[in-house]
Amino acid sequence: QKEVEQDPGPLSVPEGAIVSLNCTYSNSAFQYFMWYRQYSRKGPELLMYTYSSGNKEDGRFTAQVDKSSKYISLFIRDSQPSDSATYLCAMSANTDKLIFGTGTRLQVFP
Amino acid sequence: DGGITQSPKYLFRKEGQNVTLSCEQNLNHDAMYWYRQDPGQGLRLIYYSQIVNDFQKGDIAEGYSVSREKKESFPLTVTSAQKNPTAFYLCASNFGTGGNQPQHFGDGTRLSIL
């Protein structure tokens, strides 16, 4: 079993939809949780960074962490075609080692 | 503009050849990392360095080598011992240790075999 599981998609939604992206993990020592967005042929770009459990909102993006269920989510409101990309979750304990999910490919069509 | 610069964008390797990928950052970050990205596998850590003149192996270090002679630079050499080098290579950096500093990435180098 992988330490971090993420559905690869693709997830295809119409413009304006609310998108929910999720990851589950097995290591209860993880405390720092990140979401990255990666466009084709580009490096990952940090979208959201949270520590421990709770919610964090930034514009159209909301990150949720439920440590009791070992489950994290990224919600995108009013999705746009420019949101079409691969979304990677990543997490770490008190170390520099980041563990990544395999990424979910999102397509937002007009 | 501050950032991480990787070069070249595309690189081709012949059999038996070593190739070096460049990574330079002007963010004044202490730590730097090299990852390999393959389809459907996520990012895997090759090597990382927390300070100049020191580096540690990651999960898939075999067939790769690195150096850290300057804070700003962390080049990766893919040696002929790496039998499956075709992949997208990503360099990242952050301010330091402990897991509480998110990593920031360059735009990658795509390496292919001729």
Side-chain angles (χ1 to χ4, degrees):
Chain A
Q1 184 190 4
K2 292 181 180 177
E3 274 192 287
V4 178
E5 299 276 0
Q6 185 175 10
D7 189 325
L11 180 61
S12 187
V13 301
E15 183 175 356
I18 296 174
V19 175
S20 172
L21 303 165
N22 311 293
C23 287
T24 59
Y25 62 94
S26 56
N27 188 346
S28 57
F30 288 147
Q31 298 185 60
Y32 304 98
F33 303 92
M34 285 137 272
W35 285 96
Y36 288 87
R37 177 175 63 195
Q38 186 176 22
Y39 292 114
S40 181
R41 300 188 186 87
K42 293 286 192 179
E45 170 195 8
L46 181 68
L47 273 181
M48 301 290 281
Y49 171 67
T50 54
Y51 169 69
S52 195
S53 284
N55 294 359
K56 184 174 182 179
E57 188 174 320
D58 184 0
R60 296 186 295 113
F61 299 92
T62 299
Q64 284 186 355
V65 175
D66 182 349
K67 290 190 73 179
S68 62
S69 301
K70 297 191 180 71
Y71 188 89
I72 69 170
S73 301
L74 178 71
F75 297 95
I76 306 174
R77 289 182 298 281
D78 188 25
S79 57
Q80 302 295 309
S82 59
D83 294 326
S84 298
T86 296
Y87 290 79
L88 303 165
C89 64
M91 46 200 81
S92 68
N94 273 327
T95 72
D96 281 320
K97 190 172 179 183
L98 271 186
I99 308 299
F100 285 85
T102 52
T104 299
R105 191 154 63 93
L106 171 66
Q107 296 172 327
V108 182
F109 56 90
Chain B
D1 274 341
I4 301 169
T5 302
Q6 291 188 241
S7 62
K9 202 169 179 64
Y10 300 96
L11 189 56
F12 297 92
R13 195 192 89 169
K14 296 179 183 177
E15 289 288 337
Q17 187 181 41
N18 294 351
V19 292
T20 298
L21 284 60
S22 170
C23 178
E24 303 275 334
Q25 54 96 3
N26 60 3
L27 299 167
N28 200 31
H29 284 168
D30 298 300
M32 297 185 74
Y33 309 80
W34 274 106
Y35 292 90
R36 171 180 171 140
Q37 186 175 33
D38 295 281
Q41 289 208 44
L43 276 70
R44 292 182 291 168
L45 183 64
I46 304 172
Y47 269 99
Y48 65 104
S49 168
Q50 294 168 335
I51 56 171
V52 174
N53 292 322
D54 189 40
F55 47 82
Q56 287 78 41
K57 292 182 179 179
D59 299 318
I60 54 165
E62 187 174 347
Y64 300 98
S65 66
V66 293
S67 63
R68 185 91 186 273
E69 297 175 2
K70 297 187 302 182
K71 185 176 181 177
E72 302 80 19
S73 178
F74 191 39
L76 173 74
T77 296
V78 183
T79 74
S80 57
Q82 173 48 247
K83 297 307 178 190
N84 184 22
T86 297
F88 191 45
Y89 290 87
L90 288 160
C91 178
S93 68
N94 67 0
F95 275 114
T97 61
N100 62 353
Q101 297 289 334
Q103 294 177 20
H104 299 270
F105 286 82
D107 272 341
T109 292
R110 187 164 299 278
L111 176 61
S112 302
I113 296 180
L114 276 179

